[in-house]
Amino acid sequence: MLVGVLALQGAFAAHELALAECGVQCRQVRVAADLDGIAALVMPGGESTTMSRLLVTSGLFDPLAQRIADGLAVFGTCAGMILLSAEVLDGRPDQVSFGAIDITVRRNGYGRQVDSFEADIEMPQLDSPFHAVFIRAPKVERVGAAVEVIASHAGVPVLARQGSVFVASFHPELTPDYRLHSLFLQEV
Amino acid sequence: MSSPDSPTARATGTYPVKRGLAEMLKGGVIMDVVTPEQARIAEDAGACAVMALERVPADIRRDGGVSRMSDPEMIEGIQAMVSIPVMAKVRIGHFVEAQILESLGVDFIDESEVLTPADEAHHIDKYKFTVPFVCGATNLGEALRRISEGACMIRSKGEAGTGNIVEAVRHLRSIIGDMKKITQADSAELFEWAKRLQAPLSLVQEIAETGWLPVPMFCAGGIATPADAALAMQLGAEAVFVGSGIFKSDDPSPRAKAIVEATTHFRDASILAKVSRGLGAPMTGIGMDEINQRFAERGW
C-alpha cells in the first residue's frame, strides 16, 4: 500500500518515519501528479496558513479536494486538522480548507508555544493511554452530529473521525508510539 | 501543572514540546521583520514564522555599534499583527533578555551571533526555559555544544547581512560532512571524534547511529534568491531563515512568495525557474573579502 504524506511544509518527515514503522510505503505529495496511486493521505502539522497558500499555488487544492470527496482516507494532525475542518476560527481570511469533517476549530486555541503541552489521553480502542504532544494546537469548539469523537482531553475533543476522514489536534508522529497510525491504516 | 494522575494533567515546557515546534517549522521559511507591516507581508507570502528584530543584519553591519534585544513594544506589535509563530533574538549569554522574551510569550528565542555578544565564555543554559531556543553553528562541534546546552534547533550560521550564500554552504557542508564521516567510524574512533569536536560523547554516539543531529537543522545567513533557498535545502537543510534578503531587495512581497515556493519545491527545477522570473533586483550583497566583521566567529 502506498500512502501519501502532504509535504508542502511541516512535520511530514516524522510522519514518514511513523508510517514506515507500520510497514507501508510513503510518497511525499507536493503537486497534483503525486496523488496518483496513493491509497491514503496524511496531512501533517506545521503552519496551516503556509500550507493553505502552497495548496493553491501548487495547483494541488482542487484535485485533492476531489480525491477527498471521492472517499480518500485522510488523517490530518494539528495544521492538517485545520485544513480538513468545516469551519476555522482565528484563521486568515484567505485561508482555504477542505471542509471534510464537520467540526469548528480555533487556530492556536490552546495558546502560544509557552502553553504547548504533553498529556496522556485515553480511548477505548487502545488498552493503555496514548501520550500526546500538543504544539500551538487547534482547539475543537463544535462537533457536528455526523462526527464520532474518539478521544478527549479535559473535556475537549482531540481525536475524531467522520467516515474516512480522521483528525487529531495533537502530534502522534512526535512520539515513538505508532498505534494511531496503525488504527488509521486499518481503516484504509 | 496539575497532578500527574488527574485526567487533565499536562506538562508544559518539556523537551519534546520544545523540540516539537522546531519539527513543525520544517520545510518553511522564517523571515526577519522589523515592523508589524513587514510581518504582515511575510505572513501573506506564506512564511511559517517571523523573526522580530530591530534592524536587519545588513543594517547592523552598516551601522555598527552594540546590537541588542528588540524593544518589547515592537515585539508585541508584531505578535498582534500575525498569527504565525513569532521568534526574537537575544545576545549570546544574555539570559535576562531571554527571560524578558519568554515573559512576552515569544514562541522561539534565537541566541544569535548577529547581536553583540553579552558573554565571551558562556551561552545561555537553555534547559531553564519553557520557550525553545535556536542557536547558530559553523561546524558540528559548535552545533553539539549548543544542543548540550538545550538548543532545540540548530541553524547553520552563514554570514548574515551579506546576501552571499558562500558561508552558509561552507557551514552546511562542514556539519553534514562530519556527520557522514561519523556514521562510518567504529566505536573506538567516536571517542576521538568527541575530543576533536569538543562535544559530548553521547551526542557523537547518537549521530553514529542516526546519521543526523538530534534536533532539526535549518540554514541561515546569506539567502537572497529562491535558488539560494533551494540550494540550502538540497544540501540537507530542513528549512531556511531569510534575513536581509527579502526586505533589502527591490520588491519584497513577490520575492518572499517565491522563496516560500522554492523552499517547498526545492528539487523541481521547472518550478524554481517559474518562481525566479521577474522578481526585480535582489539585495546587492557583499563579498567575504569586503567585510571587516564576521558575525559567524561569535559564539564558543
Side-chain angles (χ1 to χ4, degrees), chain A residues 8-11 30 45-47 49-50 53-54 92 107-108 112-114 116-119 135-136 153-154 171 173-174, chain B residues 8-12 14 16-17 24-27 43-48 79 83-85 105 107 132 257 264-265:
Chain A
L8 298 171
Q9 191 272 321
R30 292 188 175 83
E47 190 43 56
T49 60
T50 301
R53 206 190 131 65
L54 288 161
R92 285 172 53 89
R107 272 182 75 221
N108 306 330
R112 296 184 183 280
Q113 173 60 15
V114 288
S116 292
F117 63 98
E118 45 184 309
I135 310 286
R136 286 171 50 94
H153 177 258
H171 293 282
E173 76 283 11
L174 290 185
Chain B
T8 60
R10 61 175 71 186
T12 58
T14 60
V17 165
M24 297 309 130
L25 297 171
K26 280 184 178 177
E43 189 185 69
D44 286 348
C48 68
Q79 287 174 318
S83 59
I84 57 178
D107 295 296
K257 290 173 183 164
T264 291
H265 302 285

Side-chain angles (χ1 to χ4, degrees), chain B residues 35-37 39 52 71-82 86:
Chain B
T35 63
E37 292 67 36
D71 186 331
E73 195 171 296
M74 171 269 199
I75 293 170
E76 284 168 345
I78 288 171
Q79 287 174 318
M81 181 62 88
V82 297
V86 175

Side-chain angles (χ1 to χ4, degrees), chain A residues 105-126:
Chain A
V105 295
R106 187 176 295 280
R107 272 182 75 221
N108 306 330
Y110 289 91
R112 296 184 183 280
Q113 173 60 15
V114 288
D115 306 307
S116 292
F117 63 98
E118 45 184 309
D120 281 339
I121 56 172
E122 298 195 29
M123 61 194 83
Q125 289 85 347
L126 302 179

Side-chain angles (χ1 to χ4, degrees), chain B residues 49-263:
Chain B
V50 291
M51 175 77 72
L53 73 174
E54 212 118 62
R55 293 175 289 171
V56 294
D59 290 337
I60 293 173
R61 188 174 289 289
R62 187 196 62 208
D63 299 346
V66 174
S67 216
R68 310 176 178 92
M69 177 191 82
S70 298
D71 186 331
E73 195 171 296
M74 171 269 199
I75 293 170
E76 284 168 345
I78 288 171
Q79 287 174 318
M81 181 62 88
V82 297
S83 59
I84 57 178
V86 175
M87 301 186 171
K89 289 181 192 287
V90 300
R91 285 177 268 178
I92 289 172
H94 206 315
F95 50 86
V96 174
E97 286 186 344
Q99 291 163 4
I100 291 169
L101 289 186
E102 181 168 81
S103 80
L104 295 176
V106 158
D107 295 296
F108 229 106
I109 292 177
D110 184 359
E111 187 183 18
S112 176
E113 71 284 357
V114 171
L115 306 186
T116 311
D119 191 318
E120 291 181 323
H122 309 96
H123 283 251
I124 296 171
D125 174 0
K126 294 164 269 286
Y127 284 109
K128 287 187 171 170
F129 290 82
T130 299
V131 60
F133 278 73
V134 53
C135 288
T138 58
N139 57 55
L140 184 57
E142 204 177 355
L144 296 182
R145 289 193 292 280
R146 298 296 85 79
I147 293 166
S148 71
E149 297 155 0
C152 297
M153 180 201 294
I154 292 297
R155 55 174 173 73
S156 56
K157 282 181 179 174
E159 192 55 44
T162 62
N164 188 336
I165 195 69
V166 67
E167 293 298 299
V169 170
R170 182 204 310 282
H171 300 156
L172 281 175
R173 283 202 182 277
S174 169
I175 294 167
I176 294 169
D178 275 353
M179 288 197 287
K180 284 182 192 159
K181 288 178 202 155
I182 286 173
T183 60
Q184 302 299 312
D186 67 35
S187 58
E189 290 168 329
L190 297 180
F191 297 99
E192 154 69 12
W193 269 104
K195 192 170 69 177
R196 198 186 324 157
L197 294 172
Q198 298 178 61
L201 175 65
S202 59
L203 291 177
V204 173
Q205 290 168 327
E206 192 174 336
I207 290 171
E209 282 199 8
T210 66
W212 199 248
L213 297 175
V215 304
M217 182 172 68
F218 295 4
C219 175
I223 292 172
T225 67
D228 289 345
L231 176 66
M233 296 292 289
Q234 286 199 29
L235 283 171
E238 297 176 288
V240 299
F241 286 83
V242 185
S244 320
I246 289 169
F247 289 101
K248 283 290 168 185
S249 71
D250 269 7
D251 198 356
S253 175
R255 182 165 297 270
K257 290 173 183 164
I259 292 176
V260 168
E261 289 187 55
T263 303

